[in-house]
Amino acid sequence: MRVMVKIKRFNPGRDREPYWAEYEVDVEPVDRVLDALEYVKWHLDGTLAFRRSCAHGICGSDAMLINGRNRLACKVLVKELGARITVEPLRGFPVIKDLVVDMEGFFAKYRAIKPYLIHDEPPPETEWRQSPEERARFDDTTKCILCAACTTSCPSFWANGAYIGPAAIVNAHRFIFDSRDRGAAERLAVLNTGLGVWRCRTIFNCVEACPRGIDVTRAIAEVKRALLFSSL
Amino acid sequence: MYVGRERPTGGFEVFAWFFMRISGVVLILLVLGHLAIMHVLNTVDEIDFEFVAARWGSPFWRTYDLVMLWLAWLHGLNGLRMVIDDYVHRKGWRAVTLTALALVGFVLLAMGTQIILTFEAPTSRVTAGLP
Amino acid sequence: MYRGREGMWSWILHRVTGLGILLFLAIHIVDIYLLGWPDVFNKLLFLYRHPVFRVAEVFLVAAVLYHALNGIRILLVDFWVEGTRLHRQIFWAQVVLFLLIWIPTSLLMLSPVVFGR
Amino acid sequence: MTTVHRYDAVIVGAGGAGLRAALEVARVTPRIAVVSKLYPIRSHTGTAQGGIGAALGNMEEDHWEWHMFDTVKGSDYLADQDAVEIMCQEAIACVYELEHWGLPFDRTPEGKIAQRRFGGHTRNFGEAPVRRACHAADRTGHMILQTLYQQCIKHEVTFFNEFHVVDLLLEDNVCRGVVALSLADGELHVFHAKAVLFATGGFGRMYKVTSNARSLTGDGVAIALRRGIPLEDMEFFQFHPTGIYKLGILISEAARGEGGILRNRQGERFMERYAPTLLDLAPRDIISRCMYTEIREGRGIDGKDYLHLDLTHLGREVIEKKLPDVTDFVRTYLGIDPIREPIPVQPTAHYAMGGIPTDVRGRVIRDEKNTPVLGFYAAGECACVSVHGANRLGTNSLVDILVFGKLAGRDMAEYLRGADFAPLPKDADGPAREECERLLTSNGSESVARLRETLQREMMDKASVFRTQEGLEAMLTTLKELKDRYRRVRIQDKGKIFNMDLQEALELGYLLDLAEVTVVSALARRESRGAHYREDFPKRDDAEWLKHTLAYRLDGEFELRYKPVVITRFQPLERKY
Ligand SMILES: Cc1cc2nc3c(=O)[nH]c(=O)nc-3n(C[C@H](O)[C@H](O)[C@H](O)COP(=O)(O)OP(=O)(O)OC[C@H]3O[C@@H](n4cnc5c(N)ncnc54)[C@H](O)[C@@H]3O)c2cc1C
Ligand code: HEM
Ligand code: SF4
Ligand code: F3S
Ligand code: FES
């Protein structure tokens, strides 16, 4: 199967403006977009840069804008896309080169919500007990691989890059609703601002973008409700 | 969920968010009712000074309109504030637009309120045949 | 262009209709304020009776109706546990409901203009 | 110009082993840096699926001695039993510690950590499978990596992300730091340190079909070799039985732990013939070999080189709840629904048992007398303690990275107290700069991608599950050629910013070196043990070969030495399951 891969390229060391480059690639229908990119890299143009590692949707390296939607390149098969594939870097982050974006700001927001269990009491000899129901309460948000597909698909984030973004909220949710955690108050305080959860306008692009199938908007809604009910 | 320490409570944004929802629910009834009466069951052909005057003869409709005005206006203004918040980033511009919003918002709200509260129907012109 | 789906489009529409209604409301406040000057008020009424406004009025109703229905969807998403899972279905239900209400209403509203009642 | 950083301790690699060690060192000094070529949470530990083994006995009776026995037997008696003993004891504390740090394990109805069966793990010294693998669905590694990274954030560990380490500064048996290439801007950085720990992971990328990430190119192991450190037991490379056909993506052993069955083209559960007690939960080396035997004897599906992993009898509930990610992989990449159809699988290169030799305190040793290199540590898949011997049991790698990450970190912390900064060598970054320059300016005609493809294909062919003298010798010749051609490789990207081309060329260099050691060690070992199966020497030979290989490369020539296996509790027996 012959496909045309159109890649938005930019090398700040050399180019003044981003530009589109087109490559013709022979692929198997069951190949991933990542395979197509690697084909370009290995056989057509060695200067192309992108991130990838696990190649099966677990490490979160290769989120990018593929045919108008944020996807992991290693999790979309080319047969889903047809003969023209357009690839751009994630929106809203500075581009380092080609498809590689600067994620430092993204991780800073992740760190801001204190993404670690907060529990001051000394732990027991064995495990802290947690019922399967309590465990299920936050299961969905434990799956996050911090790929940033959600945050960079969110129009609210494009409009204002200072928005903490769905990924950070998802990770806050993971702890706020963990029965072992005692730090909910601190995290909720971080999220209770105009740049926190309240900037989410329930647009749902995040949910569609999430390669882990996390119901991001639901997590955000639960955090909003937690804040609302503790305020009432 | 276990609660360890004090939860953060309140804050303008929670309030604004909740207000948008509460006012929205109430507005569904008020605005749709209003539209139905003024623009569907009656049409602008029938509506004139007398029509309005007769309507405001009843305290019920005055209250109805007053509540609707406040809720819709504050709801809409806050909506516009959210939009400005999204798209206007430059400090100076923000200050300018938000101040303008507050000023225009206040003036129009005052105008609307004033007319609803102080409107006096010229008794002679109140005619029969109106609902 | 980001290829967002129902959620994104419904939000854009919600925003546009909200701002539209707000603009109308602002004008409406001013014109009602003119009730203080009955003659001016009645003179200006021709504006409201102009066919262009009559058509615009139909769209005003559409805007309010959409905004209201979508507002309900937002509320369901915010407060009903199944809301986020079913938001797309709710959206399409809302579209159907919108058409069911809006089309007859528009006919009702426009009939005087079209048929002179 | 080259930036010089100074930290008490530098940890290279931010997978499970590196992060666990960092947390230990961070207890005593804040002057610690973790240098990683990937963002920490992108590390391969995150892909580990099935579980982490520890004899908690939450679901049924279990003891660390049983765990130890299984590990030793699984290793085909090549593991050092003192190390295994420590690992199996410490595993329990390590798992609880993770739980206290917030790891969201699945739970039993009483709220304890849930456990499942896994290959080779048995009750009462081999009687029947036991539930020992602690898990969080099939995302255990993901949760471990996240939890450790979260703790590092909490303790404000300093990270240098996307810094590719290219050289180790080692002189007079004292480690002085590392040199790293910053990917974002292409500059070299020297990290001057009192102690360095390598936790750079495995090198499955030298094979064509592998479960390993693109990044698993054995950098640390190869760099150590180049700096004169011998490599231990490199002939043992584990092939996991169930990789997705052609892609190599792993279908966790948990699938069989939950009851999945391997079938050949006749639909026969062929493991009944080979391992009547443990069946589909026999250790990996055995199953992989049986699968190849089935395929060779024409019982592959449609006569091709794959078999079926059948989960259809487990039902939707078990499959979707307990193996959600695996199910997703199969649906995404094969378009098959494992609830209704069997999954095409083939053995996939998975885990390096060999690596940088260390003692149980994580100190790198440089000879058969266990002489430690001062200030140089290694842990995780890149190290060889050796707890896995000739074949690792499932769930034991996660235990390994935690236990020996922790112990290495602890020893480092101790060492830092007494040690001072040894002076940097003159022109510390010289060799690294030279290598990068050479690659960047070389005007040859060879392509990195083509060389790598050839390497991977040939290794798969000649040095994977079945090995022979001729095959290995042919491979050695191929490798000589490939290395020769590597000298003439040409890089297209001459820029500085995020030069993936340069990085891939460096990585290919490491793979070539490691493939060579693997083949040399395999050629010498004239017996079959664990994952190393010589068709020309199909029997295990304890009299001659119950010993660890140490492969040195001195001036380009290999020298093999051997060191004895530590045997404490369990005398070698024939391995039957
Ligand atoms: C698909 C799969 C499933 C598995 N499932 C299980 C399981 O269920 N149970 C189990 O016990 N084991 C399992 N394993 C094995 C286990 O996951 C790994 O062996 C273990 O995670 C290795 O951890 P590590 O910390 O040594 O290395 P990794 O997690 O691979 O980390 C290596 C680190 O080194 C860094 N690095 C590498 N080279 C350089 C360089 N040159 N410069 C700077 N940094 C560098 C990388 O950036 C990375 O941070 C599985 C393995 C795979 C592949
Ligand atoms: C009829 C009933 C109404 C309902 C149920 C309703 C509901 C809502 C809700 C829930 C929001 C919040 C959206 C969010 O937070 O993301 C909202 C926003 C908004 N509403 Fe309404 N509303 C109604 C009427 C009105 C009216 C009459 C106006 C105009 C005066 C208006 C103008 C706006 C504006 C401008 C926004 C902001 C849009 C945005 O931020 O995207 N609404 N509405
Ligand atoms: S929530 Fe989903 S899309 Fe967002 S960072 Fe996590 S895994 Fe990626
Ligand atoms: S797309 Fe954005 S607005 Fe909210 S629902 Fe998702 S974060
Ligand atoms: S490469 Fe790991 S998620 Fe795509």
Side-chain angles (χ1 to χ4, degrees), chain A residues 106 143-151 167 170 206 209-212 214 216:
Chain A
F106 176 78
K143 298 186 298 198
C144 175
I145 54 176
L146 291 166
C147 67
C150 53
T151 296
V170 159
C206 51
C210 179
R212 302 290 284 152
I214 298 172
V216 182

PDB file of all heavy atoms in Angstrom, chain A residues 106 143-151 167 170 206 209-212 214 216, ligand 3:
ATOM      1  N   PHE A 106       4.657  21.152  30.574  1.00  0.00           N
ATOM      2  CA  PHE A 106       3.658  20.123  30.837  1.00  0.00           C
ATOM      3  C   PHE A 106       3.979  19.375  32.131  1.00  0.00           C
ATOM      4  O   PHE A 106       3.132  19.175  32.991  1.00  0.00           O
ATOM      5  CB  PHE A 106       3.629  19.165  29.644  1.00  0.00           C
ATOM      6  CG  PHE A 106       2.719  17.985  29.807  1.00  0.00           C
ATOM      7  CD1 PHE A 106       1.353  18.139  29.637  1.00  0.00           C
ATOM      8  CD2 PHE A 106       3.230  16.739  30.117  1.00  0.00           C
ATOM      9  CE1 PHE A 106       0.504  17.041  29.775  1.00  0.00           C
ATOM     10  CE2 PHE A 106       2.385  15.646  30.254  1.00  0.00           C
ATOM     11  CZ  PHE A 106       1.021  15.799  30.088  1.00  0.00           C
ATOM     12  N   LYS A 143      -4.293   4.976  34.831  1.00  0.00           N
ATOM     13  CA  LYS A 143      -3.761   4.484  33.557  1.00  0.00           C
ATOM     14  C   LYS A 143      -2.950   5.516  32.793  1.00  0.00           C
ATOM     15  O   LYS A 143      -2.318   5.195  31.787  1.00  0.00           O
ATOM     16  CB  LYS A 143      -4.926   4.034  32.658  1.00  0.00           C
ATOM     17  CG  LYS A 143      -5.721   2.891  33.236  1.00  0.00           C
ATOM     18  CD  LYS A 143      -6.769   2.368  32.257  1.00  0.00           C
ATOM     19  CE  LYS A 143      -7.813   3.386  31.888  1.00  0.00           C
ATOM     20  NZ  LYS A 143      -9.027   2.832  31.305  1.00  0.00           N
ATOM     21  N   CYS A 144      -2.990   6.752  33.245  1.00  0.00           N
ATOM     22  CA  CYS A 144      -2.394   7.848  32.469  1.00  0.00           C
ATOM     23  C   CYS A 144      -0.900   7.633  32.225  1.00  0.00           C
ATOM     24  O   CYS A 144      -0.151   7.294  33.134  1.00  0.00           O
ATOM     25  CB  CYS A 144      -2.611   9.167  33.187  1.00  0.00           C
ATOM     26  SG  CYS A 144      -1.793  10.533  32.366  1.00  0.00           S
ATOM     27  N   ILE A 145      -0.487   7.832  30.981  1.00  0.00           N
ATOM     28  CA  ILE A 145       0.929   7.690  30.637  1.00  0.00           C
ATOM     29  C   ILE A 145       1.576   9.037  30.339  1.00  0.00           C
ATOM     30  O   ILE A 145       2.667   9.099  29.774  1.00  0.00           O
ATOM     31  CB  ILE A 145       1.115   6.743  29.421  1.00  0.00           C
ATOM     32  CG1 ILE A 145       0.253   7.207  28.246  1.00  0.00           C
ATOM     33  CG2 ILE A 145       0.782   5.314  29.804  1.00  0.00           C
ATOM     34  CD1 ILE A 145       0.442   6.378  26.982  1.00  0.00           C
ATOM     35  N   LEU A 146       0.891  10.122  30.687  1.00  0.00           N
ATOM     36  CA  LEU A 146       1.451  11.469  30.538  1.00  0.00           C
ATOM     37  C   LEU A 146       1.948  11.743  29.121  1.00  0.00           C
ATOM     38  O   LEU A 146       3.022  12.294  28.914  1.00  0.00           O
ATOM     39  CB  LEU A 146       2.588  11.673  31.553  1.00  0.00           C
ATOM     40  CG  LEU A 146       2.090  11.740  32.998  1.00  0.00           C
ATOM     41  CD1 LEU A 146       3.242  11.601  33.967  1.00  0.00           C
ATOM     42  CD2 LEU A 146       1.322  13.019  33.261  1.00  0.00           C
ATOM     43  N   CYS A 147       1.126  11.361  28.165  1.00  0.00           N
ATOM     44  CA  CYS A 147       1.527  11.558  26.778  1.00  0.00           C
ATOM     45  C   CYS A 147       1.195  12.969  26.306  1.00  0.00           C
ATOM     46  O   CYS A 147       1.663  13.406  25.264  1.00  0.00           O
ATOM     47  CB  CYS A 147       0.837  10.547  25.889  1.00  0.00           C
ATOM     48  SG  CYS A 147      -0.947  10.801  25.806  1.00  0.00           S
ATOM     49  N   ALA A 148       0.334  13.665  27.037  1.00  0.00           N
ATOM     50  CA  ALA A 148      -0.054  15.049  26.734  1.00  0.00           C
ATOM     51  C   ALA A 148      -1.020  15.170  25.557  1.00  0.00           C
ATOM     52  O   ALA A 148      -1.339  16.277  25.137  1.00  0.00           O
ATOM     53  CB  ALA A 148       1.150  15.949  26.500  1.00  0.00           C
ATOM     54  N   ALA A 149      -1.510  14.062  25.048  1.00  0.00           N
ATOM     55  CA  ALA A 149      -2.470  14.149  23.942  1.00  0.00           C
ATOM     56  C   ALA A 149      -3.710  14.922  24.363  1.00  0.00           C
ATOM     57  O   ALA A 149      -4.270  15.689  23.584  1.00  0.00           O
ATOM     58  CB  ALA A 149      -2.858  12.748  23.470  1.00  0.00           C
ATOM     59  N   CYS A 150      -4.141  14.720  25.595  1.00  0.00           N
ATOM     60  CA  CYS A 150      -5.364  15.380  26.045  1.00  0.00           C
ATOM     61  C   CYS A 150      -5.160  16.888  26.137  1.00  0.00           C
ATOM     62  O   CYS A 150      -5.892  17.668  25.538  1.00  0.00           O
ATOM     63  CB  CYS A 150      -5.799  14.816  27.395  1.00  0.00           C
ATOM     64  SG  CYS A 150      -4.524  14.843  28.653  1.00  0.00           S
ATOM     65  N   THR A 151      -4.158  17.276  26.910  1.00  0.00           N
ATOM     66  CA  THR A 151      -3.949  18.701  27.148  1.00  0.00           C
ATOM     67  C   THR A 151      -3.795  19.468  25.841  1.00  0.00           C
ATOM     68  O   THR A 151      -4.367  20.544  25.677  1.00  0.00           O
ATOM     69  CB  THR A 151      -2.707  18.898  28.039  1.00  0.00           C
ATOM     70  OG1 THR A 151      -2.982  18.293  29.308  1.00  0.00           O
ATOM     71  CG2 THR A 151      -2.397  20.359  28.248  1.00  0.00           C
ATOM     72  N   ALA A 167      -4.440  16.676  31.746  1.00  0.00           N
ATOM     73  CA  ALA A 167      -3.525  15.626  32.225  1.00  0.00           C
ATOM     74  C   ALA A 167      -3.207  15.825  33.704  1.00  0.00           C
ATOM     75  O   ALA A 167      -3.198  14.872  34.492  1.00  0.00           O
ATOM     76  CB  ALA A 167      -2.246  15.614  31.398  1.00  0.00           C
ATOM     77  N   VAL A 170      -6.243  14.873  35.750  1.00  0.00           N
ATOM     78  CA  VAL A 170      -6.376  13.417  35.809  1.00  0.00           C
ATOM     79  C   VAL A 170      -5.457  12.853  36.892  1.00  0.00           C
ATOM     80  O   VAL A 170      -5.853  12.004  37.700  1.00  0.00           O
ATOM     81  CB  VAL A 170      -6.021  12.794  34.439  1.00  0.00           C
ATOM     82  CG1 VAL A 170      -5.645  11.329  34.571  1.00  0.00           C
ATOM     83  CG2 VAL A 170      -7.197  12.956  33.480  1.00  0.00           C
ATOM     84  N   CYS A 206     -10.314  16.033  24.906  1.00  0.00           N
ATOM     85  CA  CYS A 206      -9.350  15.280  25.702  1.00  0.00           C
ATOM     86  C   CYS A 206      -9.727  13.805  25.745  1.00  0.00           C
ATOM     87  O   CYS A 206      -8.881  12.929  25.631  1.00  0.00           O
ATOM     88  CB  CYS A 206      -9.267  15.854  27.103  1.00  0.00           C
ATOM     89  SG  CYS A 206     -10.867  16.039  27.901  1.00  0.00           S
ATOM     90  N   ALA A 209      -9.007  12.133  22.547  1.00  0.00           N
ATOM     91  CA  ALA A 209      -7.582  12.025  22.258  1.00  0.00           C
ATOM     92  C   ALA A 209      -6.891  10.980  23.125  1.00  0.00           C
ATOM     93  O   ALA A 209      -5.867  10.428  22.736  1.00  0.00           O
ATOM     94  CB  ALA A 209      -6.909  13.373  22.461  1.00  0.00           C
ATOM     95  N   CYS A 210      -7.439  10.698  24.289  1.00  0.00           N
ATOM     96  CA  CYS A 210      -6.684   9.874  25.242  1.00  0.00           C
ATOM     97  C   CYS A 210      -6.473   8.451  24.728  1.00  0.00           C
ATOM     98  O   CYS A 210      -7.425   7.699  24.541  1.00  0.00           O
ATOM     99  CB  CYS A 210      -7.381   9.823  26.588  1.00  0.00           C
ATOM    100  SG  CYS A 210      -6.455   8.794  27.751  1.00  0.00           S
ATOM    101  N   PRO A 211      -5.229   8.068  24.512  1.00  0.00           N
ATOM    102  CA  PRO A 211      -4.961   6.729  23.970  1.00  0.00           C
ATOM    103  C   PRO A 211      -5.198   5.636  25.001  1.00  0.00           C
ATOM    104  O   PRO A 211      -5.239   4.461  24.656  1.00  0.00           O
ATOM    105  CB  PRO A 211      -3.479   6.791  23.596  1.00  0.00           C
ATOM    106  CG  PRO A 211      -2.906   7.803  24.518  1.00  0.00           C
ATOM    107  CD  PRO A 211      -3.992   8.814  24.743  1.00  0.00           C
ATOM    108  N   ARG A 212      -5.360   6.021  26.255  1.00  0.00           N
ATOM    109  CA  ARG A 212      -5.585   5.018  27.288  1.00  0.00           C
ATOM    110  C   ARG A 212      -7.066   4.870  27.589  1.00  0.00           C
ATOM    111  O   ARG A 212      -7.429   4.180  28.542  1.00  0.00           O
ATOM    112  CB  ARG A 212      -4.819   5.403  28.557  1.00  0.00           C
ATOM    113  CG  ARG A 212      -3.325   5.547  28.334  1.00  0.00           C
ATOM    114  CD  ARG A 212      -2.655   4.225  28.082  1.00  0.00           C
ATOM    115  NE  ARG A 212      -2.501   3.485  29.323  1.00  0.00           N
ATOM    116  CZ  ARG A 212      -2.462   2.154  29.400  1.00  0.00           C
ATOM    117  NH1 ARG A 212      -2.568   1.437  28.307  1.00  0.00           N
ATOM    118  NH2 ARG A 212      -2.300   1.568  30.552  1.00  0.00           N
ATOM    119  N   ILE A 214      -9.096   6.900  28.932  1.00  0.00           N
ATOM    120  CA  ILE A 214      -9.515   7.453  30.225  1.00  0.00           C
ATOM    121  C   ILE A 214     -10.667   8.420  29.996  1.00  0.00           C
ATOM    122  O   ILE A 214     -10.633   9.222  29.068  1.00  0.00           O
ATOM    123  CB  ILE A 214      -8.333   8.185  30.900  1.00  0.00           C
ATOM    124  CG1 ILE A 214      -7.199   7.199  31.172  1.00  0.00           C
ATOM    125  CG2 ILE A 214      -8.771   8.878  32.178  1.00  0.00           C
ATOM    126  CD1 ILE A 214      -5.924   7.850  31.649  1.00  0.00           C
ATOM    127  N   VAL A 216     -11.556  11.338  30.747  1.00  0.00           N
ATOM    128  CA  VAL A 216     -10.918  12.506  31.362  1.00  0.00           C
ATOM    129  C   VAL A 216     -11.961  13.490  31.878  1.00  0.00           C
ATOM    130  O   VAL A 216     -11.859  13.986  33.006  1.00  0.00           O
ATOM    131  CB  VAL A 216     -10.009  13.212  30.333  1.00  0.00           C
ATOM    132  CG1 VAL A 216      -9.311  14.393  30.973  1.00  0.00           C
ATOM    133  CG2 VAL A 216      -8.992  12.242  29.769  1.00  0.00           C
TER     134      VAL A 216
HETATM  135  S1  SF4 E   3      -4.999  11.417  30.346  1.00  0.00           S
HETATM  136 FE1  SF4 E   3      -4.737  10.190  28.515  1.00  0.00          FE
HETATM  137  S2  SF4 E   3      -4.208  11.671  26.939  1.00  0.00           S
HETATM  138 FE2  SF4 E   3      -3.935  12.695  28.869  1.00  0.00          FE
HETATM  139  S3  SF4 E   3      -1.768  12.433  29.319  1.00  0.00           S
HETATM  140 FE3  SF4 E   3      -2.874  10.799  30.357  1.00  0.00          FE
HETATM  141  S4  SF4 E   3      -2.831   9.119  28.912  1.00  0.00           S
HETATM  142 FE4  SF4 E   3      -2.267  10.939  27.736  1.00  0.00          FE
END
